Amino acid sequence: METITLNKKDIYTGNLILVNKLYPLKNSREENKLSLVPLNHQYKDTLLEMKTANMLEHLVNDLKCDEDIVPVSGYRSYEEQKNIYVDSLENNGKDFTEKFVAVPNHSEHQTGLAIDLALKQDNIDFICPNFPYDGICNVFRKKALDYGFVERYEKGKEAITGIAHEPWHFRFVGYPHSKIMNEYGLSLEEYIDFIKQFQYENRFIIKSGNKTIEIFYENMSSQLKTIDLPDKVCHLISGNNVDGFIITLWGNNL
């Protein structure tokens, strides 16, 4: 067995952190150990968390859609988010802003895990870019699941997410979480709650090719906790930004 130690302070970092109106981003970029990189040489000012940028580039290359789909907004600092929020209040009013623009420190864009995309055209709206449900955009939307991205703010989930329907906003949660969320029709808020029913003893199990993937939740009521994981099994640990960790195991020994 491999013994790992979980630290409560780390529940605010990872691919699956929930950032919304109820749960703000707790740590600064430095505290989150957030490694930002440019999306690619063409969009040097569009920054994303390193793994997010890497997977997005692979997705775009796979679909060969770099001439059709363009990035609009990636990582934003607190100051950038504050300025966008204030400008929207002045130019678009309170109702519009509360639907489409998150309050500073409550925006997924500050995590580096979110990207707004648009169908390439002459005029692109920064707040509400066009990303339709047909053509290459919908091909992208479906394929994105294989690369760990979900359409974060789907229609019908507004009361849960606190944000209006945003077809252009994609969030990296990682595979297989993206596939599970899509299959079960879950927003990230719902997925965080869904996984809580699966503890170490009754892990959520799926098959991916010839490999088994197991997922479980670990509550952090104490500052430190040790758990034993099977030998020779890969694992990924993400905080949920709420109260614990989501741990993903995969390998041939499960």
Side-chain angles (χ1 to χ4, degrees):
M1 301 292 283
E2 177 187 1
T3 300
I4 62 172
T5 300
L6 303 175
N7 193 318
K8 191 173 184 178
K9 69 180 179 61
D10 293 327
I11 69 173
Y12 309 115
T13 63
N15 294 341
L16 289 165
I17 56 172
L18 175 65
V19 175
N20 60 16
K21 289 183 177 180
L22 295 178
Y23 298 103
L25 189 68
K26 294 292 182 71
N27 297 337
S28 68
R29 171 188 163 188
E30 291 73 23
E31 290 172 320
N32 275 333
K33 301 174 183 176
L34 185 60
S35 298
L36 295 171
V37 297
L39 180 55
N40 54 41
H41 69 279
Q42 189 176 359
Y43 298 101
K44 294 181 180 179
D45 294 333
T46 302
L47 303 179
L48 289 172
E49 181 272 332
M50 187 181 296
K51 180 71 178 293
T52 306
N54 184 47
M55 296 308 292
L56 182 58
E57 185 174 17
H58 282 303
L59 171 57
V60 170
N61 289 341
D62 186 7
L63 295 178
K64 297 179 175 59
C65 62
D66 56 310
E67 294 297 323
D68 304 300
I69 293 174
V70 296
V72 177
S73 183
Y75 168 79
R76 300 172 189 163
S77 67
Y78 174 87
E79 287 301 322
E80 287 173 313
Q81 186 64 29
K82 179 182 176 181
N83 291 337
I84 291 169
Y85 186 81
V86 171
D87 288 347
S88 183
L89 280 176
E90 293 177 356
N91 297 321
N92 303 312
K94 183 179 179 181
D95 289 344
F96 176 93
T97 301
E98 289 183 347
K99 287 180 180 178
F100 293 107
V101 184
V103 175
N105 275 350
H106 294 261
S107 170
E108 285 199 330
H109 284 284
Q110 289 178 245
T111 69
L113 299 167
I115 182 80
D116 289 347
L117 300 169
L119 182 65
K120 190 174 183 180
Q121 47 196 182
D122 292 338
N123 296 308
I124 296 176
D125 189 305
F126 180 78
I127 301 295
C128 299
N130 181 33
F131 203 84
Y133 286 92
D134 57 20
I136 188 60
C137 291
N138 215 37
V139 173
F140 177 97
R141 184 177 280 108
K142 292 176 181 179
K143 190 66 176 176
L145 298 168
D146 295 331
Y147 289 83
F149 291 90
V150 294
E151 182 184 316
R152 176 68 174 94
Y153 303 116
E154 294 184 300
K155 189 175 183 179
K157 300 290 186 179
E158 295 88 345
I160 298 170
T161 65
I163 296 289
H165 178 212
E166 293 191 356
W168 56 84
H169 182 103
F170 289 85
R171 163 67 190 269
F172 182 73
V173 293
Y175 183 91
H177 307 287
S178 53
K179 284 280 197 177
I180 300 168
M181 289 171 64
N182 181 68
E183 181 178 346
Y184 284 78
L186 302 174
S187 65
L188 183 55
E189 284 81 1
E190 293 169 308
Y191 186 62
I192 295 298
D193 288 336
F194 171 76
I195 289 297
K196 285 183 180 180
Q197 67 185 295
F198 300 100
Q199 309 293 317
Y200 183 84
E201 297 77 13
N202 65 320
R203 302 187 281 276
F204 182 86
I205 301 173
I206 66 169
K207 293 289 185 179
S208 179
N210 62 348
K211 291 186 178 178
T212 299
I213 301 175
E214 299 183 353
I215 305 168
F216 66 97
Y217 162 76
E218 198 68 40
N219 178 264
M220 287 300 290
S221 55
S222 58
Q223 191 62 40
L224 295 174
K225 179 183 287 189
T226 59
I227 58 175
D228 293 325
L229 301 179
D231 282 330
K232 297 180 180 179
V233 168
C234 299
H235 67 267
L236 185 66
I237 302 171
S238 174
N240 62 11
N241 200 44
V242 181
D243 53 14
F245 294 93
I246 296 172
I247 301 173
T248 308
L249 310 176
W250 69 96
N252 296 322
N253 292 339
L254 290 172

